[in-house]
Amino acid sequence: MNDNNTEIHNAYEVIKNGGIILYPTDTVWGIGCDACNADAVSKIYALKQRDDSKSMIVLMNGEKMLYNVFAAIPDVAWEIWDVSEKPTTLILDNPRNVALNIIAEDKTLGVRLVKEPFCFKLMERMKRPLVSTSANISGMFAPKTFKEISPEIIKGVDYVVNLNHDKVCKNPSTIIKLTMDSQVKIIRK
C-alpha cells in the first residue's frame, strides 16, 4: 500500500491533466475529476452510462472553496453541516466557477464538505472542488467495498487510488435540497 502523500500526488497529476480517478471518500467509493473541467466531467458521464441531465455531487474542503462556487449560502446550510452526524450533501442554488455540465437543469449543485484526509488534502492541492459520484454504472448498486466495483469501472478510469481497498464503506450521504428562501427538502436520508 502506498502512503497518502504518494496517492495524493499521483491522483493530482492525473486530475490536472483532465483524467478521472477511482477513490475512497468519506462514504462510498467514488469516481472523480476536477469539477471545473467539462471534458473530464463528460468522461465520467460516459463511463457511468449516465444521462448528463442527472447532476453529480461535488466535494469541497472548506468555506473558501464553497464561497468560490456559491455567492450566497443560506444560513441554515451551516447549521445543518454543524449538527449532521453523518456526511451530508446539500443541494444549493446558483453555482458558478464550475463546469457547466456538472450543474443541474434547475441551476443547482449538490455539495458536501469533507474532512476525510485523502479527499481533503487532494482538494487542497488541486485548489478546486472534486466531483464525486458512486463507482458504478448508472442504475446499478453502489459498491460498499473495492472488491464489489465492476471491472468495467476500474478499467475505465485513468487512475485507481491505492488506499483503503479493504475498507467497508458506509452508506451514501444524506441529501438535502435548500433554496435561498430557506425551503428544505430531504432527498435521501
Side-chain angles (χ1 to χ4, degrees), residues 58-183:
V58 173
L59 302 181
M60 298 189 189
N61 68 357
E63 201 172 310
K64 182 177 178 185
M65 197 174 281
L66 267 168
Y67 279 112
N68 187 47
V69 175
F70 297 97
I73 299 169
D75 289 340
V76 70
W78 300 109
E79 293 168 23
I80 290 170
W81 276 318
D82 284 346
V83 301
S84 294
E85 293 182 13
K86 68 179 247 181
T88 300
T89 298
L90 298 181
I91 300 172
L92 302 174
D93 291 332
N94 303 316
R96 60 192 180 162
N97 300 326
V98 292
L100 293 178
N101 58 344
I102 196 79
I103 299 171
E105 289 175 344
D106 65 354
K107 303 282 186 264
T108 62
L109 180 64
V111 295
R112 187 165 78 242
L113 288 173
V114 294
K115 296 181 177 97
E116 191 279 328
F118 171 79
C119 294
F120 187 92
K121 289 180 180 163
L122 176 59
M123 286 183 283
E124 207 169 61
R125 179 97 184 260
M126 292 167 57
K127 296 182 180 31
R128 293 171 177 235
L130 179 66
V131 170
S132 182
T133 183
S134 55
N136 60 326
I137 302 298
S138 192
M140 306 298 280
F141 75 95
K144 299 251 187 209
T145 65
F146 182 80
K147 290 178 188 161
E148 292 177 354
I149 299 170
S150 78
E152 186 176 357
I153 294 290
I154 293 171
K155 289 180 194 146
V157 298
D158 299 304
Y159 186 70
V160 176
V161 173
N162 193 21
L163 294 171
N164 299 330
H165 283 208
D166 54 353
K167 173 183 168 188
V168 176
C169 294
K170 302 174 190 124
N171 292 323
S173 65
T174 297
I175 300 178
I176 300 171
K177 186 170 186 171
L178 294 180
T179 59
M180 283 310 295
D181 58 359
S182 297
Q183 292 183 40

Side-chain angles (χ1 to χ4, degrees), residues 10-101:
N10 293 345
Y12 171 74
E13 289 299 316
V14 168
I15 288 170
K16 83 172 185 188
N17 290 306
I20 62 176
I21 64 169
L22 179 63
Y23 67 104
T25 73
D26 54 339
T27 58
V28 299
W29 273 82
I31 303 170
C33 68
D34 176 350
C36 303
N37 184 327
D39 291 338
V41 170
S42 292
K43 287 182 194 176
I44 294 177
Y45 280 120
L47 176 60
K48 285 185 63 85
Q49 300 168 28
R50 182 178 180 140
D51 183 344
D52 64 7
S53 68
K54 293 183 176 181
S55 183
M56 294 181 280
I57 72 163
V58 173
L59 302 181
M60 298 189 189
N61 68 357
E63 201 172 310
K64 182 177 178 185
M65 197 174 281
L66 267 168
Y67 279 112
N68 187 47
V69 175
F70 297 97
I73 299 169
D75 289 340
V76 70
W78 300 109
E79 293 168 23
I80 290 170
W81 276 318
D82 284 346
V83 301
S84 294
E85 293 182 13
K86 68 179 247 181
T88 300
T89 298
L90 298 181
I91 300 172
L92 302 174
D93 291 332
N94 303 316
R96 60 192 180 162
N97 300 326
V98 292
L100 293 178
N101 58 344

